[in-house]
Amino acid sequence: MNREQLERAVKLLGDEIAVIVPYATFGTAIDLSVYNKLQEQGIPVVIDAAASFGTITPEEAAHFGKGFGGAVVFSFHATKSFGIGEGGLVYSLDQDLIKRIRQAGNFGFSSSRESVTQGLNSKLSEYTAAIALAALDHFKAVRENRRTIYEYYLQELIQADLLDRGWSLQKVQGSVVHQFIPILSPDPYSNQEVVALLASNSIEARTYFSPACHQQKQFQSYSHFTLHVTEHIAKHIVSLPLWEELDEITVRRIVNVLGSLGKETTR
Ligand SMILES: *Cc1c(COP(=O)(O)O)cnc(C)c1O
């Protein structure tokens, strides 16, 4: 999140702010100090750490989010590195907040089963919890495996000279259990063109997260500052395939297709 724009928004909106939701992009360990300060000023912060389960911070070598006074929300949805079907985890240093979240997720009941707050039923099912425990047993191997695949990509992208030809990978802070391989296409080419080129080579890729939030129907009417960087990314971002059996040869094939962009051969 752009720090200057954040500061401007906080000044402009003041008491109107209900919550600030920064995204720990694709699992990277973002610096939480500025958000801790906002929390201390009484502005609630919820970190969208959907893809960050297993992320280790570079400085303290601790799990991402540790010590944060707001809420850090991890997703266990099927598309995540720690996918158990559906579900997630909320971490906070604030034990009272956790207590209130537990209450809200249990029909808003107090310990005497009196409804004391607005609530819903958000409990993880026993069955899903059993899947989570089984997934946890393999998580170390999953981390290593995904790191190896990420390194194949890095190696092939360097080998094919693509990082010097305008393609760029996300800057990653800390050690991340990679969910996707997000990459930006070079300026003349949109992500749609890249996805179409890959598809014509029988390779499926997605455009997480494009269109950006403010470009979507549900949010278009809300006010926002200029979001040039977001819009640039939304036009160029591609999530390359990552599945756990992906081998080096397939990664090379995918990268070679990227390298052929704009070099349509005529026969
Ligand atoms: C997956 C994801 C979500 C949604 O998580 P759920 O567990 O499905 O609610 C939210 N934000 C980001 C950035 C995600 O990647």
CSV table of all heavy atoms in Angstrom, one decimal, residues 23-27 48-52 73-80 85-89 179-180 208-209, ligand 1:
chain,number,residue,atom,x,y,z
A,23,TYR,N,-3.0,-5.7,1.8
A,23,TYR,CA,-2.8,-7.1,1.4
A,23,TYR,C,-1.3,-7.4,1.4
A,23,TYR,O,-0.5,-6.7,0.9
A,23,TYR,CB,-3.4,-7.2,-0.1
A,23,TYR,CG,-3.1,-8.4,-0.8
A,23,TYR,CD1,-3.0,-9.7,-0.2
A,23,TYR,CD2,-2.9,-8.4,-2.2
A,23,TYR,CE1,-2.8,-10.8,-0.9
A,23,TYR,CE2,-2.6,-9.5,-2.9
A,23,TYR,CZ,-2.6,-10.8,-2.3
A,23,TYR,OH,-2.3,-11.9,-3.0
A,24,ALA,N,-1.0,-8.5,2.0
A,24,ALA,CA,0.4,-9.1,2.0
A,24,ALA,C,0.5,-9.8,0.7
A,24,ALA,O,0.3,-11.0,0.6
A,24,ALA,CB,0.6,-10.0,3.2
A,25,THR,N,0.9,-9.1,-0.3
A,25,THR,CA,0.7,-9.6,-1.7
A,25,THR,C,1.4,-10.9,-2.0
A,25,THR,O,2.6,-11.1,-1.8
A,25,THR,CB,1.4,-8.5,-2.7
A,25,THR,OG1,1.0,-7.2,-2.2
A,25,THR,CG2,0.9,-8.7,-4.1
A,26,PHE,N,0.6,-11.9,-2.4
A,26,PHE,CA,1.0,-13.2,-2.8
A,26,PHE,C,1.9,-13.8,-1.7
A,26,PHE,O,2.9,-14.5,-2.0
A,26,PHE,CB,1.7,-13.2,-4.2
A,26,PHE,CG,0.7,-12.8,-5.3
A,26,PHE,CD1,0.9,-11.6,-6.0
A,26,PHE,CD2,-0.4,-13.6,-5.6
A,26,PHE,CE1,0.1,-11.3,-7.0
A,26,PHE,CE2,-1.2,-13.2,-6.6
A,26,PHE,CZ,-1.0,-12.1,-7.3
A,27,GLY,N,1.6,-13.5,-0.5
A,27,GLY,CA,2.4,-14.2,0.6
A,27,GLY,C,3.6,-13.4,1.1
A,27,GLY,O,4.2,-13.9,2.1
A,48,ASP,N,-5.0,-8.7,5.0
A,48,ASP,CA,-5.3,-9.8,4.2
A,48,ASP,C,-4.1,-10.6,3.9
A,48,ASP,O,-3.3,-10.3,3.0
A,48,ASP,CB,-5.9,-9.3,2.9
A,48,ASP,CG,-6.4,-10.4,1.9
A,48,ASP,OD1,-5.9,-11.5,2.1
A,48,ASP,OD2,-7.1,-10.1,1.0
A,49,ALA,N,-3.9,-11.6,4.7
A,49,ALA,CA,-2.7,-12.5,4.6
A,49,ALA,C,-3.1,-13.8,4.0
A,49,ALA,O,-2.6,-14.9,4.4
A,49,ALA,CB,-2.0,-12.7,6.0
A,50,ALA,N,-4.1,-13.8,3.1
A,50,ALA,CA,-4.7,-15.0,2.6
A,50,ALA,C,-3.7,-16.0,2.1
A,50,ALA,O,-3.8,-17.2,2.4
A,50,ALA,CB,-5.6,-14.6,1.4
A,51,ALA,N,-2.6,-15.5,1.4
A,51,ALA,CA,-1.6,-16.4,0.8
A,51,ALA,C,-0.4,-16.5,1.7
A,51,ALA,O,0.7,-17.0,1.2
A,51,ALA,CB,-1.3,-15.9,-0.6
A,52,SER,N,-0.4,-16.1,2.9
A,52,SER,CA,0.8,-16.0,3.7
A,52,SER,C,1.0,-17.1,4.8
A,52,SER,O,2.0,-17.0,5.6
A,52,SER,CB,0.8,-14.6,4.5
A,52,SER,OG,0.8,-13.6,3.6
A,73,VAL,N,-5.3,-12.3,8.7
A,73,VAL,CA,-6.3,-13.3,8.3
A,73,VAL,C,-5.6,-14.2,7.2
A,73,VAL,O,-5.3,-13.7,6.1
A,73,VAL,CB,-7.6,-12.7,7.8
A,73,VAL,CG1,-8.6,-13.9,7.5
A,73,VAL,CG2,-8.2,-11.8,8.8
A,74,PHE,N,-5.5,-15.5,7.5
A,74,PHE,CA,-4.9,-16.4,6.5
A,74,PHE,C,-6.0,-17.3,5.9
A,74,PHE,O,-7.0,-17.6,6.6
A,74,PHE,CB,-3.9,-17.4,7.3
A,74,PHE,CG,-2.8,-16.7,7.9
A,74,PHE,CD1,-2.9,-16.2,9.3
A,74,PHE,CD2,-1.6,-16.4,7.3
A,74,PHE,CE1,-1.9,-15.6,9.9
A,74,PHE,CE2,-0.5,-15.8,7.9
A,74,PHE,CZ,-0.7,-15.3,9.2
A,75,SER,N,-5.9,-17.6,4.6
A,75,SER,CA,-6.9,-18.4,4.0
A,75,SER,C,-6.4,-19.8,3.8
A,75,SER,O,-5.3,-20.0,3.4
A,75,SER,CB,-7.3,-17.8,2.6
A,75,SER,OG,-8.1,-18.7,1.9
A,76,PHE,N,-7.3,-20.8,4.0
A,76,PHE,CA,-7.0,-22.2,3.7
A,76,PHE,C,-7.8,-22.7,2.6
A,76,PHE,O,-8.1,-23.9,2.4
A,76,PHE,CB,-7.3,-23.0,5.0
A,76,PHE,CG,-6.4,-22.7,6.2
A,76,PHE,CD1,-6.8,-23.2,7.4
A,76,PHE,CD2,-5.3,-21.9,6.1
A,76,PHE,CE1,-6.0,-22.9,8.6
A,76,PHE,CE2,-4.5,-21.6,7.2
A,76,PHE,CZ,-4.8,-22.1,8.4
A,77,HIS,N,-8.3,-21.7,1.7
A,77,HIS,CA,-9.1,-22.1,0.6
A,77,HIS,C,-8.3,-23.0,-0.4
A,77,HIS,O,-7.0,-23.0,-0.3
A,77,HIS,CB,-9.4,-20.8,-0.2
A,77,HIS,CG,-10.3,-21.0,-1.4
A,77,HIS,ND1,-9.7,-20.9,-2.7
A,77,HIS,CD2,-11.5,-21.4,-1.5
A,77,HIS,CE1,-10.7,-21.2,-3.5
A,77,HIS,NE2,-11.8,-21.5,-2.9
A,78,ALA,N,-9.0,-23.8,-1.2
A,78,ALA,CA,-8.3,-24.8,-2.0
A,78,ALA,C,-7.2,-24.3,-2.9
A,78,ALA,O,-6.3,-25.0,-3.2
A,78,ALA,CB,-9.4,-25.5,-2.9
A,79,THR,N,-7.2,-23.0,-3.3
A,79,THR,CA,-6.2,-22.5,-4.2
A,79,THR,C,-4.9,-22.1,-3.4
A,79,THR,O,-3.9,-21.7,-4.1
A,79,THR,CB,-6.7,-21.3,-4.9
A,79,THR,OG1,-7.1,-20.3,-4.0
A,79,THR,CG2,-7.8,-21.6,-5.9
A,80,LYS,N,-4.9,-22.1,-2.1
A,80,LYS,CA,-3.7,-21.7,-1.3
A,80,LYS,C,-2.7,-22.8,-1.2
A,80,LYS,O,-3.1,-24.0,-1.3
A,80,LYS,CB,-4.2,-21.1,0.0
A,80,LYS,CG,-5.3,-20.2,0.0
A,80,LYS,CD,-5.0,-18.9,-0.8
A,80,LYS,CE,-6.3,-18.1,-0.9
A,80,LYS,NZ,-6.4,-17.2,-2.0
A,85,GLY,N,-9.6,-27.0,1.5
A,85,GLY,CA,-11.0,-27.0,1.0
A,85,GLY,C,-11.5,-25.6,1.2
A,85,GLY,O,-11.4,-24.7,0.4
A,86,GLU,N,-12.0,-25.4,2.4
A,86,GLU,CA,-12.5,-24.0,2.8
A,86,GLU,C,-12.1,-23.8,4.3
A,86,GLU,O,-11.9,-24.8,5.0
A,86,GLU,CB,-14.0,-23.9,2.7
A,86,GLU,CG,-14.6,-23.8,1.3
A,86,GLU,CD,-14.3,-22.5,0.6
A,86,GLU,OE1,-13.6,-21.6,1.1
A,86,GLU,OE2,-14.7,-22.5,-0.6
A,87,GLY,N,-11.9,-22.6,4.6
A,87,GLY,CA,-11.5,-22.2,6.0
A,87,GLY,C,-10.4,-21.3,6.1
A,87,GLY,O,-9.9,-20.8,5.1
A,88,GLY,N,-10.0,-20.9,7.3
A,88,GLY,CA,-8.9,-20.0,7.5
A,88,GLY,C,-8.5,-19.9,8.9
A,88,GLY,O,-9.0,-20.6,9.8
A,89,LEU,N,-7.7,-18.8,9.2
A,89,LEU,CA,-7.2,-18.6,10.5
A,89,LEU,C,-7.0,-17.1,10.8
A,89,LEU,O,-6.6,-16.4,9.9
A,89,LEU,CB,-5.8,-19.3,10.6
A,89,LEU,CG,-5.0,-19.3,11.9
A,89,LEU,CD1,-4.1,-20.6,11.9
A,89,LEU,CD2,-4.1,-18.1,12.0
A,179,GLN,N,2.3,-19.6,-3.8
A,179,GLN,CA,1.0,-20.1,-4.2
A,179,GLN,C,0.9,-20.0,-5.7
A,179,GLN,O,0.5,-21.0,-6.3
A,179,GLN,CB,0.0,-19.1,-3.6
A,179,GLN,CG,-1.5,-19.4,-4.0
A,179,GLN,CD,-2.4,-18.3,-3.6
A,179,GLN,OE1,-2.0,-17.3,-3.0
A,179,GLN,NE2,-3.7,-18.5,-3.9
A,180,PHE,N,1.3,-18.9,-6.3
A,180,PHE,CA,1.4,-18.8,-7.8
A,180,PHE,C,2.7,-18.2,-8.2
A,180,PHE,O,3.5,-17.9,-7.3
A,180,PHE,CB,0.4,-17.7,-8.2
A,180,PHE,CG,-1.0,-17.9,-7.8
A,180,PHE,CD1,-1.6,-16.9,-7.0
A,180,PHE,CD2,-1.8,-19.0,-8.1
A,180,PHE,CE1,-2.9,-17.0,-6.6
A,180,PHE,CE2,-3.1,-19.2,-7.6
A,180,PHE,CZ,-3.7,-18.2,-6.9
A,208,TYR,N,-4.7,-13.1,-11.8
A,208,TYR,CA,-4.9,-12.6,-10.4
A,208,TYR,C,-4.0,-11.4,-10.3
A,208,TYR,O,-2.8,-11.5,-10.5
A,208,TYR,CB,-4.4,-13.6,-9.4
A,208,TYR,CG,-5.2,-14.9,-9.4
A,208,TYR,CD1,-4.6,-16.1,-9.8
A,208,TYR,CD2,-6.5,-14.9,-9.0
A,208,TYR,CE1,-5.3,-17.3,-9.7
A,208,TYR,CE2,-7.3,-16.1,-9.0
A,208,TYR,CZ,-6.6,-17.3,-9.4
A,208,TYR,OH,-7.3,-18.5,-9.3
A,209,PHE,N,-4.4,-10.2,-9.8
A,209,PHE,CA,-5.8,-9.8,-9.6
A,209,PHE,C,-6.2,-8.8,-10.6
A,209,PHE,O,-5.8,-7.6,-10.3
A,209,PHE,CB,-6.0,-9.4,-8.1
A,209,PHE,CG,-5.7,-10.4,-7.1
A,209,PHE,CD1,-4.5,-10.6,-6.5
A,209,PHE,CD2,-6.7,-11.4,-6.9
A,209,PHE,CE1,-4.3,-11.6,-5.6
A,209,PHE,CE2,-6.5,-12.4,-5.9
A,209,PHE,CZ,-5.3,-12.5,-5.3
B,1,LIG,C1,-7.8,-16.4,-1.5
B,1,LIG,C2,-7.9,-15.0,-1.2
B,1,LIG,C3,-8.9,-14.5,-0.4
B,1,LIG,C4,-10.1,-15.3,0.0
B,1,LIG,O1,-9.9,-16.2,1.0
B,1,LIG,P1,-11.1,-17.1,1.5
B,1,LIG,O2,-10.5,-18.0,2.5
B,1,LIG,O3,-11.7,-17.8,0.3
B,1,LIG,O4,-12.1,-16.2,2.1
B,1,LIG,C5,-8.9,-13.2,0.0
B,1,LIG,N1,-7.9,-12.4,-0.4
B,1,LIG,C6,-6.8,-12.8,-1.1
B,1,LIG,C7,-5.8,-11.9,-1.5
B,1,LIG,C8,-6.8,-14.2,-1.5
B,1,LIG,O5,-5.8,-14.6,-2.3
